[in-house]
Amino acid sequence: MGKVYYVSKNVGLGMLVLAVAALATIIALSIAYDKERAKNRGKPGDEATDSTSMPPPPTTPFIPKEPWDHYRLPDSLVPLSYNVTLWPRLEPDARGMFVFTGHSAVVFRCVKETDLIIIHSNKLNLTTFYGHHAKLTGLGKATVPTIQKSWLVVKTEYLVLQLHSRLAVGSLYLLYTEFLGELADDLQGFYRSEYIEDGVKKVVATSQMQATYARKTFPCFDEPAMKAVFNVIIIHDRATVALSNGRDIDTVDSVIDGVPVSVTTFEPTERMSTYLLAFIVSDFVKIQSTQNNSLLVRIWARRKAIADRQGDYALSVTGPILQFYEHYYNATYPLSKSDQIALPDFNAGAMENWGLITYRETALLYDPMLSSTGNKERVTTVISHELAHMWFGNLVTLQWWNDLWLNEGFASYVEYLGADYAEPTWNIKDQIILSDVHKVFAVDALASSHPLSRREEEVNNPAEISEMFNTISYSKGAAVLRMLSEFLTEPVFAKGLSSYLNTFAFNNTVYTDLWDHLQKAVENTPGMHIPHTVHNIMNHWTLQMGFPVVTIDTRTGSITQKHFLLDPDSVVDRPSQFNYTWFVPIKWMKTGVEQQQYWLLQKTDINSQMRVSGEDWVLANTNVSGYFRVNYDLYNWDRLLSLLSTNHQALSIINRAQIIDDTFNLARYNQINAVGYACGMGVEGCRELIKSWYRQWMENPHHNPIHPNLKSTVYCSAIAFGGVEEWDFAWRMFKNATLASEASRLRAAMSCTKAPWLLNRYLEYTLDPTKIRKQDATSTIQYVARNIVGMPLAWNFVRARWGYIFQQYGKGSFSFSNLINGITKRFSSEFELQELKKFKEENLHVGFGSATLALEQAIEKTTANIKWVTENKAHVLKWFTEESK
Ligand SMILES: *[C@@H]1O[C@H](CO)[C@@H](O)[C@H](O)[C@H]1NC(C)=O
Ligand SMILES: *[C@@H]1O[C@H](CO)[C@@H](O)[C@H](O)[C@H]1NC(C)=O
Ligand SMILES: *[C@@H]1O[C@H](CO)[C@@H](O)[C@H](O)[C@H]1NC(C)=O
Ligand SMILES: *[C@@H]1O[C@H](CO)[C@@H](O)[C@H](O)[C@H]1NC(C)=O
Ligand SMILES: *[C@@H]1O[C@H](CO)[C@@H](O)[C@H](O)[C@H]1NC(C)=O
Ligand SMILES: *[C@@H]1O[C@H](CO)[C@@H](O)[C@H](O)[C@H]1NC(C)=O
Ligand SMILES: *[C@@H]1O[C@H](CO)[C@@H](O)[C@H](O)[C@H]1NC(C)=O
Ligand SMILES: *[C@@H]1O[C@H](CO)[C@@H](O)[C@H](O)[C@H]1NC(C)=O
Ligand SMILES: [Zn+2]
């Protein structure tokens, strides 16, 4: 799945840069002053590790007795193929409900003797045959046992058939079901999306199966390792087009139950996982091209969006990116076509369904006249991310969700490589430092963080599975894989990768399979040497949480590592088999000496080459290629800072940014920032200029005089300076917007008002899907929370309506944990901490679902923030005042 970009890259650069920079500065200063503080307090300054304390208690005391009480399928049956027919109704039935009907036949093999058939089925009304929910037949010579009874288990989402006798090992059987489901607007499984075009309401049937919603569409063995071939048929209105993973091979008109319909048959899929299936019926149109006379590449969207040429850019980058991956993976694109479709209602940023990728409109559509460069960058990276999955994740799939970090971390890393190939002038590879590495540093520096890798038995039910879709999996995963590729070198990394993909094509793996193939690549490369096996080195980064801060004393050449904690006094009660030390690959350079590689393998070491004097400096972790922070003695810090001010060309952009922190990187995209900064700083004339632009637009709504790259800042500022008139105008433009990225900018800008009643009204709108789409509700609340005036309002709003919000949005959505993160980001007072704790207590009966971990992190971050504010206020103020002289 693509990341949920709840912060569009340009949104709020004006107002938010300062807040982000201040936070980042505090984190950076934490290193610089750590030593001093430790000295002042007479603290030994050693790690807070305590490996003797108890591990956290297990989360579920419930002990399953019967096979159908387990969330994992038994290992007795293995599916081979399905024939699935689906018929979504895009008009409501007599009850006013939208439904779909269908039937499915699954062929499976019995591999262990059993008298039970357990298959996933959720929220489907199954037709009964002679009192049972399915028909069972034997294939070939298999004699078929009769069904004794059948029932549905709501908790574990199963259909269970108890047989009179056992199935025979090695034999094939066929299970047939007929079902009726609701085509709800819940963004899960086979669902309904509505939009208005030319004043007419239109309905799309579409799907989102990851992680556990295929079972809400048809009864299936819904686990990623249960790969099978799918023969799909979709029945649909004659005025619509049906899409699925395979290429459509036949569409015929027919009349079924007296209804004139079209019946579209798709080519059989490759052997694939259920979570990658997709079914879509719409009246969308397409643009297409053919790669090398054989591969069909198509972009689908609303008619108006295609007519406005909003799909052209996506079509133009897809070819080059596919070509890049074919070369990088040394494996041809595994399917006969590549469809990408932009949907008006979509929960994640995008979803990598094999051969039919679904996107939010903002992640696929781009209008050269109206969109900003930030929109374009997002389109490129999201497409690149999803296409990377076509091989890594789809062709070769991790066996279970505990290894999700490898799938998502990998795509989040190589998305920059693919995007760089398509747009070589953007220097997009630098972006990973800001968008992933620094972002996850902030979370992984908490004592409540968790290791990347989880054991298979720790992840079972749907809530636990969706909790895996978090920043640690995506961004830390990306950061450690980038580090691995850097120390192996890209050619060796790619060689191992290619061998892994070709070995396990159409099959499943565990993460150590990748390590094994990379190790083989190392061994087959003459002259290549690493101090331990890939497996051993990576265990230090995946099996223990956190990351080290490496301290280099350039006066002595001594190097030490220590678990970096945002609050150095926090207690780490999670034991680590490596005692929170890492095998650290350090790329470094010094005055007059080219980059070299050094491995820190113990807690402390001496490297005499790192001893310098006079004006000479040492810079370690060049280009932030390693997942760790670096601290130096104060003399070296001084020399680096003066190097920056006198001769900053000596350092690459990434290294400069690393030294004086994220602010540098943010200050690159530049005119946008200039306006934002100027207005933020109260620069004379800035306000008037912005107001006049916006006013011109209000006077002539058909002509927007504001440059696309400045829109985010200008809208936000104009609404912040203005009143209800400016706000209501933005609302009208929002409702009328035909370009999703324009709607998205306006939606963010409306949160900039300083009027509490407007903010409260806006918050109320988020719970009304006719006003704010469900997919956008949680991010809108977060936008409001980022406004200083809005933060307490959003917090009160979420607390007061927790039960409802949880029920509507809490069942396994990634953006839901971001909601808690977003609202509590700036909490830094004792009062807020108490409120958080009270909130946790009062809503224990409702639960927190996929936001459970986020809540714990919020409590810890607030505690750490309180400390920092108390201890470092003076330092930070001093730093700011001195810097601004
Ligand atoms: C499934 O569909 C395929 C392809 O149309 C067909 O050959 C096969 O007989 C069908 N199998 C069953 C069990 O319906
Ligand atoms: C499924 O059956 C239940 C109980 O009869 C009914 O309430 C529900 O509406 C049915 N679902 C659909 C989609 O018709
Ligand atoms: C298309 O063919 C060219 C030249 O044969 C090759 O370099 C390229 O990788 C191919 N691209 C795809 C996507 O197959
Ligand atoms: C690419 O794959 C081919 C065939 O699978 C193999 O012979 C070749 O060595 C591979 N190239 C690289 C660079 O791995
Ligand atoms: C998948 O991998 C397993 C384990 O390596 C192997 O036994 C099996 O034959 C493979 N299946 C296919 C279809 O390649
Ligand atoms: C971790 O520390 C404990 C106690 O100091 C020691 O017994 C153990 O060997 C250490 N383990 C490793 C992997 O260094
Ligand atoms: C750092 O990255 C930049 C741009 O990606 C590259 O040009 C430069 O060679 C790298 N520097 C080092 C020391 O790796
Ligand atoms: C609202 O949208 C319609 C249809 O796209 C368009 O014709 C009209 O000009 C828009 N109104 C404004 C004020 O932009
Ligand atoms: Zn992904």
Side-chain angles (χ1 to χ4, degrees):
M1 219 186 296
K3 285 172 261 199
V4 176
Y5 287 76
Y6 50 98
V7 186
S8 109
K9 291 222 171 91
N10 283 331
V11 167
L13 266 173
M15 303 185 63
L16 302 175
V17 157
L18 292 177
V20 173
L23 189 71
T25 304
I26 291 176
I27 294 167
L29 286 173
S30 76
I31 307 168
Y33 288 105
D34 188 40
K35 239 182 177 164
E36 267 189 17
R37 282 185 321 117
K39 235 188 298 169
N40 293 345
R41 281 199 251 118
K43 228 178 100 226
D46 224 350
E47 70 283 340
T49 315
D50 178 7
S51 44
T52 57
S53 56
M54 298 292 288
T59 44
T60 36
F62 172 76
I63 298 163
K65 281 196 200 66
E66 305 291 349
W68 52 83
D69 292 331
H70 290 265
Y71 283 101
R72 294 296 301 275
L73 289 167
D75 56 2
S76 42
L77 308 176
V78 177
L80 301 181
S81 69
Y82 294 78
N83 284 15
V84 189
T85 300
L86 293 170
W87 184 7
R89 312 299 153 84
L90 304 187
E91 300 283 341
D93 65 11
R95 298 170 294 175
M97 192 187 271
F98 288 82
V99 300
F100 64 92
T101 54
H103 52 87
S104 167
V106 53
V107 175
F108 63 87
R109 173 180 284 126
C110 172
V111 294
K112 258 188 195 172
E113 242 185 28
T114 182
D115 60 358
L116 278 175
I117 294 174
I118 298 185
I119 185 169
H120 285 109
S121 178
N122 183 26
K123 297 191 176 149
L124 294 172
N125 289 357
L126 298 170
T127 306
T128 52
F129 306 96
Y130 308 105
H132 304 304
H133 295 88
K135 277 197 278 202
L136 181 67
T137 44
L139 294 185
K141 289 191 283 288
T143 49
V144 66
T146 49
I147 301 171
Q148 184 186 340
K149 58 176 176 171
S150 73
W151 68 99
L152 297 162
V153 186
V154 173
K155 186 179 153 80
T156 45
E157 306 177 343
Y158 285 135
L159 160 64
V160 185
L161 289 92
Q162 173 72 59
L163 308 177
H164 273 115
S165 60
R166 294 182 175 206
L167 299 170
V169 171
S171 292
L172 299 183
Y173 301 90
L174 189 148
L175 187 76
Y176 176 82
T177 49
E178 273 179 27
F179 45 87
L180 166 73
E182 184 181 355
L183 196 69
D185 59 347
D186 59 359
L187 313 171
Q188 297 173 353
F190 203 23
Y191 72 92
R192 170 178 106 246
S193 168
E194 293 177 0
Y195 65 99
I196 310 271
E197 194 164 76
D198 295 330
V200 180
K201 189 172 104 175
K202 300 203 168 170
V203 178
V204 176
T206 181
S207 65
Q208 166 65 32
M209 303 309 189
Q210 195 185 29
T212 54
Y213 307 125
R215 63 190 69 169
K216 192 168 161 280
T217 307
F218 63 102
C220 56
F221 296 93
D222 195 11
E223 292 191 359
M226 295 288 186
K227 288 195 174 183
V229 169
F230 296 83
N231 298 286
V232 177
I233 293 174
I234 296 181
I235 301 168
H236 54 105
D237 196 283
R238 286 184 187 171
T240 61
V241 57
L243 297 172
S244 188
N245 305 79
R247 206 166 174 160
D248 54 296
I249 46 180
D250 184 39
T251 299
V252 293
D253 285 347
S254 175
V255 176
I256 302 180
D257 299 343
V259 185
V261 290
S262 288
V263 178
T264 297
T265 304
F266 298 88
E267 66 180 349
T269 66
E270 298 289 350
R271 201 170 169 266
M272 66 180 285
S273 305
T274 46
Y275 82 88
L276 294 168
L277 290 168
F279 311 109
I280 301 177
V281 173
S282 69
D283 79 340
F284 284 10
V285 290
K286 61 168 192 295
I287 47 175
Q288 67 180 56
S289 68
T290 310
Q291 284 274 114
N292 286 2
N293 300 322
S294 62
L295 176 62
L296 182 64
V297 175
R298 299 186 291 194
I299 306 291
W300 297 84
R302 287 179 288 109
R303 284 161 185 276
K304 207 162 163 27
I306 291 294
D308 290 347
R309 312 194 66 102
Q310 293 176 18
D312 292 13
Y313 178 69
L315 186 65
S316 75
V317 291
T318 298
I321 294 176
L322 283 174
Q323 205 166 311
F324 169 81
Y325 286 126
E326 289 196 328
H327 186 251
Y328 181 69
Y329 294 135
N330 193 21
T332 50
Y333 178 75
L335 308 176
S336 66
K337 61 104 169 162
S338 162
D339 276 326
Q340 299 178 89
I341 185 167
L343 294 163
D345 263 307
F346 194 68
N347 209 15
M351 175 64 211
E352 71 266 22
N353 314 300
W354 216 9
L356 177 50
I357 310 176
T358 44
Y359 293 84
R360 274 189 180 216
E361 291 197 344
T362 47
L364 189 69
L365 303 182
Y366 171 76
D367 185 320
M369 299 304 289
L370 303 172
S371 303
S372 71
T373 48
N375 301 140
K376 191 171 183 179
E377 183 184 301
R378 179 172 180 209
V379 167
T380 321
T381 50
V382 178
I383 289 178
S384 182
H385 178 106
E386 304 309 329
L387 292 178
H389 279 308
M390 298 301 110
W391 291 260
F392 200 102
N394 297 7
L395 177 64
V396 178
T397 310
L398 273 321
Q399 183 166 296
W400 184 243
W401 300 108
N402 63 309
D403 280 344
L404 179 87
W405 73 269
L406 183 58
N407 190 23
E408 291 305 348
F410 185 87
S412 302
Y413 164 49
V414 302
E415 72 182 53
Y416 294 100
L417 309 187
D420 183 60
Y421 182 82
E423 294 286 359
T425 59
W426 290 0
N427 290 324
I428 194 135
K429 285 195 207 169
D430 296 355
Q431 193 67 41
I432 191 173
I433 308 299
L434 185 66
S435 306
D436 293 286
V437 183
H438 279 159
K439 183 170 124 194
V440 70
F441 268 163
V443 179
D444 206 20
L446 300 175
S448 63
S449 188
H450 61 82
L452 262 182
S453 193
R454 297 218 169 161
R455 280 178 295 122
E456 186 166 342
E457 56 276 18
E458 288 177 326
V459 180
N460 292 295
N461 65 45
E464 287 161 355
I465 292 169
S466 52
E467 203 169 279
M468 299 303 295
F469 291 82
N470 60 43
T471 309
I472 297 278
S473 297
Y474 281 77
S475 297
K476 182 175 180 177
V480 302
L481 289 167
R482 175 168 170 268
M483 175 168 74
L484 172 61
S485 174
E486 291 273 343
F487 74 72
L488 292 181
T489 71
E490 194 171 296
V492 175
F493 184 76
K495 199 157 105 186
L497 187 59
S498 161
S499 147
Y500 164 89
L501 290 172
N502 286 304
T503 305
F504 298 104
F506 307 108
N507 216 337
N508 295 82
T509 55
V510 291
Y511 74 93
T512 52
D513 291 325
L514 179 61
W515 299 166
D516 293 344
H517 282 259
L518 290 170
Q519 181 66 29
K520 255 197 284 179
V522 169
E523 285 160 14
N524 291 335
T525 306
M528 177 85 208
H529 176 74
I530 49 176
H532 289 272
T533 59
V534 170
H535 190 103
N536 259 335
I537 294 167
M538 293 312 286
N539 275 353
H540 287 70
W541 299 94
T542 62
L543 300 184
Q544 61 185 349
M545 68 175 185
F547 57 89
V549 50
V550 170
T551 304
I552 299 173
D553 190 330
T554 61
R555 292 164 304 178
T556 60
S558 93
I559 308 166
T560 50
Q561 58 166 303
K562 182 181 160 191
H563 184 184
F564 180 78
L565 290 165
L566 191 56
D567 173 1
D569 296 337
S570 54
V571 176
V572 176
D573 54 15
R574 187 189 286 273
S576 156
Q577 65 195 99
F578 304 113
N579 291 350
Y580 293 102
T581 61
W582 287 262
F583 290 160
V584 193
I586 304 178
K587 291 198 169 166
W588 70 284
M589 57 200 230
K590 64 179 177 183
T591 329
V593 178
E594 287 289 300
Q595 170 173 294
Q596 43 195 308
Q597 167 101 16
Y598 158 82
W599 284 88
L600 179 60
L601 302 171
Q602 303 95 27
K603 210 164 173 39
T604 67
D605 194 13
I606 299 268
N607 180 344
S608 57
Q609 287 189 301
M610 288 189 189
R611 197 159 51 204
V612 294
S613 59
E615 292 302 299
D616 291 349
W617 45 262
V618 167
L619 179 68
N621 201 17
T622 46
N623 279 359
V624 199
S625 65
Y627 184 67
F628 55 92
R629 285 196 173 276
V630 185
N631 190 15
Y632 308 94
D633 56 290
L634 290 174
Y635 302 96
N636 196 57
W637 271 124
D638 278 348
R639 290 189 293 259
L640 285 175
L641 289 172
S642 81
L643 179 68
L644 269 180
S645 46
T646 56
N647 179 19
H648 65 75
Q649 302 301 347
L651 302 166
S652 78
I653 289 176
I654 302 183
N655 290 324
R656 274 182 268 154
Q658 177 201 359
I659 296 169
I660 68 154
D661 218 12
D662 310 0
T663 34
F664 234 80
N665 237 321
L666 278 168
R668 271 187 313 131
Y669 280 103
N670 40 23
Q671 197 189 1
I672 315 163
N673 290 349
V675 173
Y677 269 123
C679 290
M681 295 299 184
V683 167
E684 202 70 27
C686 172
R687 232 173 226 253
E688 291 317 311
L689 184 64
I690 281 188
K691 278 186 176 167
S692 75
W693 281 342
Y694 195 80
R695 212 172 300 124
Q696 278 176 44
W697 188 30
M698 284 174 73
E699 281 158 15
N700 184 0
H702 295 285
H703 181 75
N704 185 339
I706 305 161
H707 187 277
N709 284 358
L710 298 178
K711 279 179 174 175
S712 289
T713 308
V714 171
Y715 294 175
C716 174
S717 305
I719 287 169
F721 304 145
V724 63
E725 251 179 81
E726 282 78 8
W727 201 97
D728 284 348
F729 175 73
W731 178 257
R732 281 198 304 278
M733 291 300 104
F734 167 70
K735 293 310 276 184
N736 203 39
T738 52
L739 179 67
S741 60
E742 176 72 0
S744 166
R745 269 195 294 262
L746 285 162
R747 191 164 57 80
M750 284 184 283
S751 73
C752 296
T753 175
K754 300 270 185 280
W757 76 272
L758 285 175
L759 289 166
N760 273 327
R761 187 178 72 175
Y762 197 28
L763 286 167
E764 293 296 337
Y765 285 4
T766 63
L767 299 188
D768 178 350
T770 65
K771 292 201 162 67
I772 300 286
R773 287 183 175 280
K774 272 192 176 180
Q775 64 164 13
D776 296 327
T778 56
S779 66
T780 304
I781 298 172
Q782 285 177 73
Y783 288 147
V784 173
R786 273 200 253 130
N787 176 337
I788 301 215
V789 182
M791 202 258 277
L793 305 177
W795 174 225
N796 285 337
F797 176 79
V798 166
R799 278 192 299 171
R801 290 173 184 69
W802 182 253
Y804 180 77
I805 294 174
F806 182 71
Q807 179 222 337
Q808 288 291 309
Y809 305 104
K811 300 285 157 55
S813 117
F814 180 13
S815 60
F816 192 61
S817 59
N818 289 332
L819 176 66
I820 294 288
N821 273 333
I823 292 181
T824 62
K825 199 176 254 162
R826 284 197 307 235
F827 277 18
S828 58
S829 73
E830 188 60 37
F831 177 69
E832 286 159 334
L833 179 64
Q834 292 316 322
E835 282 198 328
L836 258 179
K837 290 183 170 165
K838 201 163 115 216
F839 169 65
K840 181 181 165 187
E841 235 164 68
E842 285 173 356
N843 288 288
L844 276 176
H845 65 285
V846 180
F848 302 96
S850 58
T852 308
L853 192 63
L855 186 62
E856 289 307 319
Q857 288 171 347
I859 292 177
E860 192 188 337
K861 232 187 277 180
T862 306
T863 310
N865 286 352
I866 292 173
K867 267 212 167 107
W868 272 112
V869 171
T870 330
E871 294 177 6
N872 290 307
K873 211 191 251 167
H875 285 309
V876 174
L877 276 179
K878 181 157 162 276
W879 190 82
F880 268 123
T881 42
E882 282 178 2
E883 284 301 301
S884 55
K885 269 179 203 155

